[in-house]
Amino acid sequence: MSGSKQTMIIAAVAASVVVLGAVLFFSSGKAEQKATGDDDSKAKPGPTSTSTPAPNLDKSGVASDHTTTEFGSDDRSLLGIAKSTEKAAPEPTLAPTAAATAAEAHVGEGHEGGPTEEDLAMKEKLDEFNRLQSLGTKLFKGQKFDQAAEKFSTAILIAEELDLPAAKLETLYNNRGAMYEKAGKMKESLEDCTYVLAMNPTHSKVRKRRARIYKATNRYHEALVELCVVMLADREKLRAKIAAQYPDNPQMFQFQMQHAMQQPENQAPEDLEPVMKLVGQTDAEAELSGRDPSMAKRPPSSNTVHQLLLTYTGYLQIETDVKSLKLKDLTATVNASPSGRDGVDALRTRGYWKMVKRDYAGAKADLVAAADLAKAAGGDVSGAELCEILVWIGFFNHVSYDLEGALTAYDQANKADPTSADVHIRRSGVKIDQGDLDAAGVELDLADKLAPNSDDVLMHRSQYHVLKQDMPAAESDLRACLTARGDHTLAYLRLATILMHSGKIEEADKFAEKARESRPSLSEVYQVKGELALAQQDMTAALQHLDKAHDLDKSNPMALVIKGLTIWQQTFDHQKAVAEFEKAIEADELCALAYTRLAEIKLQFITTFDEANSVVQLLNTAIGICREKDELQELCMIRGIAQSQTEAAQAIGLTSFHPQG
């Protein structure tokens, strides 16, 4: 397996202790609004008189005569908290409307003989208008959506002819848009939504309707923008309400704001999370399909490769074999043995030495040369020896994400030695990175048949079980691996991590200490010990362990990521947390988790659209170099949120953001 799927299992599981629970939205706060002047008729088509309130709507979203507004133009519908704590007084119904009352008062005025024909015609139209609305509501309740839309359409024509207030038209277009959506006429429904939002940009129900339609028609980015508008408008209104209650007490304001945001009525729209994920998935697929395959074929950090190597007992033996050797002597031997069996041995040994010294490019070059000489040497080099060399070539192809190149090398290795279990173990890793867990399981079964319960089979099968979320099986394989080989540091660390997340902290501590005893200079040992300290609420010890992990290996980004998350959750010092994430990216520019957490925290404290765009650019960088599909989807999702928040703010006339809370 490559990068995050195999070597990062400790960090990925452990990071869930301190990981931010969800993507956090930045709030508009006291955002400035674009000046529109005192005459808001410029922002609303049609008459702007507010003497006649919009008709009420029943729970189905259609105007009714005696229910509280749900889809109407009443701004209180934007905030659940407003509905629950500020119950509106009963509003006048449409029959008689204020316009009808005015018309009746006008009838006969100045005419001794009673109402004129014009007065009677107006009253007749008003009666027809109210009848059509009532009939439209009944048709909707009877699920006769097309007929209901026709009634509302006729009512709209009458309302425009009578020059009724804009609020009336807003409600009518809203009701007809709801009918069109129910009837499956999405284009027509969107047109009505556009009309309503021109008059009332923060109309929550219409925004949600557009989001549903956009989602249903695979326009996920546009759906996300609509839901972000709802979020921003709701939070802005909530902030204004609480600020009015505590104008001179910022501490109480912040407390009440945080408390209010945790209440059920102020939670995000239910469609938000699935739409966010769809944005991430579709953008990630587009990124991968349009990417030059050669871009992905680059090695990860030396720390990532080293962790992978430590999972193979063959590498542990290589460490012992080359420990006392010198590069100068190895190179002299290579130069003295240009071909044949001696040349193969010389290149292979020097390649192994470079591998241990983390010169991975040099190691691969020597092993490729050794394989070429071995093939030319014929029977002088055994199939098992050639297989071993080819397996390591496949490994370096794999960690560079050249998955096809890795499989080619493993196929050649299997041909050279069909009895090698190692070939199938390595192939299982490629299958996992290709997203085919079933094929990976088949390869591990083949390996187990060739080498039953070998250290490597147990070690790598435990990782397979973790990905299948079968933690008891993973724990069982790791315990068996350690029974067979008591100095397997990575097995100790992975078992400690699984036990930690099972709540078995004391036993996890013991295995982490055994890992320290077996490899006291390994960075990952102190990374896991730091995570265990966090699980025991010992922040001081945790930071000490994480600092030591970084000191031992500057290329280990996860120690810095976990430290940043620890600082953020324990102290809320976002500047110090950001600094740790930035150092993690410097340590390993391929560490997607560092970009993800950095972007999430930055998004909470941006105040301008330019700052939002800078976060988008940060995520673009991460997306451009990310190779793991799951990580890519998360990065694309957060980028989509940042973009949608800015578009949403602009859609409702905001010109800046303020920090959350």
Side-chain angles (χ1 to χ4, degrees):
M1 278 156 263
S2 68
S4 62
K5 281 200 173 67
Q6 177 169 339
T7 68
M8 295 303 187
I9 185 60
I10 297 172
V13 177
S16 65
V17 178
V18 289
V19 72
L20 299 174
V23 176
L24 299 169
F25 285 76
F26 45 79
S27 168
S28 59
K30 297 179 180 178
E32 300 175 11
Q33 276 194 288
K34 295 177 182 177
T36 58
D38 295 332
D39 181 11
D40 63 5
S41 65
K42 295 177 182 178
K44 297 182 179 182
T48 58
S49 168
T50 58
S51 61
T52 305
N56 296 328
L57 303 174
D58 64 16
K59 292 182 180 179
S60 64
V62 183
S64 65
D65 292 336
H66 304 289
T67 56
T68 303
T69 299
E70 182 171 357
F71 285 93
S73 61
D74 186 352
D75 286 342
R76 285 168 300 183
S77 66
L78 289 173
L79 276 178
I81 189 170
K83 290 188 212 173
S84 61
T85 62
E86 295 184 353
K87 187 174 181 180
E91 296 187 25
T93 62
L94 284 174
T97 65
T101 303
E104 289 172 0
H106 175 72
V107 171
E109 185 177 304
H111 299 278
E112 293 182 0
T116 65
E117 290 186 6
E118 181 181 353
D119 294 335
L120 292 173
M122 177 181 290
K123 185 177 184 304
E124 183 179 346
K125 287 183 181 294
L126 285 168
D127 290 343
E128 176 66 6
F129 173 80
N130 289 322
R131 187 187 71 81
L132 287 167
Q133 285 197 110
S134 178
L135 183 56
T137 301
K138 291 178 181 178
L139 289 168
F140 172 65
K141 290 180 177 179
Q143 298 189 11
K144 297 178 180 179
F145 306 122
D146 282 317
Q147 294 178 43
E150 289 178 5
K151 301 307 177 185
F152 286 126
S153 295
T154 306
I156 288 171
L157 293 175
I158 295 174
E160 291 174 341
E161 180 181 349
L162 295 177
D163 201 21
L164 294 184
K168 184 68 64 182
L169 285 171
E170 176 185 323
T171 301
L172 289 168
Y173 277 101
N174 174 37
N175 288 347
R176 190 175 68 175
M179 300 306 98
Y180 282 144
E181 182 192 11
K182 292 289 187 180
K185 296 180 177 180
M186 302 309 182
K187 179 178 179 292
E188 291 83 352
S189 182
L190 286 175
E191 289 173 353
D192 281 355
C193 288
T194 300
Y195 189 96
V196 173
L197 294 175
M199 293 185 282
N200 183 1
T202 60
H203 198 301
S204 177
K205 296 298 182 180
V206 172
R207 290 287 181 183
K208 290 178 180 178
R209 183 180 306 133
R210 283 221 298 195
R212 289 194 299 271
I213 294 173
Y214 287 148
K215 179 185 175 186
T217 53
N218 302 328
R219 297 163 66 176
Y220 304 126
H221 271 282
E222 292 166 280
L224 185 55
V225 170
E226 297 301 318
L227 295 174
C228 286
V229 168
V230 175
M231 293 281 290
L232 287 171
D234 284 1
R235 292 189 183 191
E236 182 66 13
K237 287 181 177 291
L238 185 58
R239 289 179 68 93
K241 175 182 172 63
I242 296 175
Q245 295 172 343
Y246 304 97
D248 301 316
N249 192 336
Q251 290 81 12
M252 183 57 71
F253 165 78
Q254 184 169 351
F255 172 79
Q256 292 292 341
M257 187 69 188
Q258 291 174 346
H259 175 72
M261 291 307 301
Q262 295 172 3
Q263 302 311 304
E265 64 266 24
N266 293 321
Q267 297 302 300
E270 62 181 14
D271 270 355
L272 181 65
E273 185 174 353
V275 170
M276 284 165 42
K277 290 181 178 179
L278 286 167
V279 168
Q281 291 169 5
T282 54
D283 280 8
E285 289 169 2
E287 173 70 23
L288 290 172
S289 64
R291 178 179 288 179
D292 181 352
S294 65
M295 290 176 60
K297 298 176 183 178
R298 53 185 297 177
S301 70
S302 64
N303 173 266
T304 298
V305 178
H306 188 232
Q307 282 194 67
L308 277 166
L309 288 170
L310 290 175
T311 65
Y312 296 104
T313 55
Y315 175 76
L316 302 181
Q317 184 59 50
I318 287 171
E319 284 185 312
T320 301
D321 293 343
V322 304
K323 186 175 182 179
S324 61
L325 301 179
K326 305 294 182 183
L327 179 60
K328 180 179 178 180
D329 297 335
L330 292 171
T331 300
T333 303
V334 169
N335 292 336
S337 308
S339 62
R341 174 58 186 262
D342 291 341
V344 172
D345 288 342
L347 284 166
R348 177 176 56 186
T349 303
R350 189 175 71 174
Y352 288 167
W353 184 92
K354 290 179 179 179
M355 191 190 305
V356 172
K357 297 300 180 181
R358 301 197 184 189
D359 176 8
Y360 300 126
K364 180 182 177 182
D366 277 353
L367 292 171
V368 169
D372 290 341
L373 287 182
K375 292 172 185 177
D380 290 343
V381 178
S382 70
E385 290 173 306
L386 175 58
C387 175
E388 178 184 316
I389 296 170
L390 290 168
V391 159
W392 285 117
I393 293 171
F395 170 85
F396 286 117
N397 287 338
H398 188 182
V399 296
S400 295
Y401 226 75
D402 179 5
L403 302 185
E404 293 304 320
L407 289 175
T408 297
Y410 295 148
D411 287 344
Q412 293 175 0
N414 186 59
K415 184 177 180 180
D417 182 9
T419 67
S420 172
D422 203 18
V423 171
H424 296 288
I425 293 171
R426 308 297 180 103
R427 283 178 60 87
S428 73
V430 176
K431 295 301 180 182
I432 286 175
D433 281 343
Q434 289 179 329
D436 192 345
L437 285 179
D438 291 338
V442 170
E443 293 292 344
L444 288 168
D445 287 343
L446 291 171
D448 192 45
K449 289 179 181 178
L450 292 168
N453 293 319
S454 71
D455 304 346
D456 282 354
V457 168
L458 292 167
M459 181 67 185
H460 291 271
R461 193 170 63 191
S462 73
Q463 167 65 6
Y464 167 79
H465 288 315
V466 168
L467 294 173
K468 297 282 283 187
Q469 300 183 355
D470 187 351
M471 297 306 172
E475 180 181 337
S476 176
D477 275 352
L478 288 168
R479 289 185 185 277
C481 178
L482 289 168
T483 298
R485 180 157 190 153
D487 64 344
H488 205 310
T489 309
L490 262 291
Y492 281 124
L493 292 178
R494 293 189 178 182
L495 181 55
T497 301
I498 290 174
L499 292 171
M500 174 175 63
H501 290 282
S502 300
K504 302 174 183 177
I505 304 299
E506 185 175 348
E507 188 177 11
D509 257 331
K510 292 179 180 178
F511 282 111
E513 182 57 25
K514 286 184 177 293
R516 188 196 65 78
E517 292 170 358
S518 66
R519 272 185 189 266
S521 62
L522 183 64
S523 172
E524 286 69 30
V525 168
Y526 298 94
Q527 177 184 311
V528 173
K529 289 179 77 69
E531 293 160 6
L532 281 165
L534 283 176
Q536 299 173 77
Q537 304 298 313
D538 190 345
M539 182 177 175
T540 300
L543 293 178
Q544 289 174 347
H545 287 311
L546 294 170
D547 283 339
K548 186 165 185 178
H550 178 59
D551 290 340
L552 286 170
D553 188 347
K554 301 295 185 183
S555 70
N556 179 3
M558 290 310 304
L560 296 166
V561 170
I562 297 170
K563 181 181 177 182
L565 289 168
T566 302
I567 291 170
W568 171 239
Q569 288 210 330
Q570 297 294 325
T571 70
F572 295 103
D573 189 332
H574 73 281
Q575 293 179 333
K576 287 185 178 179
V578 163
E580 295 301 324
F581 297 138
E582 289 175 340
K583 286 194 290 186
I585 291 171
E586 290 177 7
D588 181 3
E589 66 171 2
L590 297 179
C591 183
L593 190 59
Y595 288 101
T596 300
R597 303 308 169 224
L598 177 60
E600 285 178 346
I601 290 182
K602 281 191 170 186
L603 284 176
Q604 295 179 74
F605 294 92
I606 63 174
T607 59
T608 69
F609 294 160
D610 285 343
E611 289 173 338
N613 289 333
S614 72
V615 176
V616 171
Q617 292 306 312
L618 171 73
L619 292 166
N620 283 339
T621 299
I623 288 167
I625 59 179
C626 183
R627 300 177 302 189
E628 295 286 352
K629 186 175 181 180
D630 293 343
E631 294 174 347
L632 187 60
Q633 287 179 355
E634 185 173 11
L635 289 166
C636 288
M637 180 183 71
I638 299 172
R639 181 183 65 180
I641 292 167
Q643 293 170 327
S644 297
Q645 286 280 15
T646 301
E647 292 178 40
Q650 293 170 334
I652 57 175
L654 302 181
T655 60
S656 67
F657 298 105
H658 280 246
Q660 192 169 23

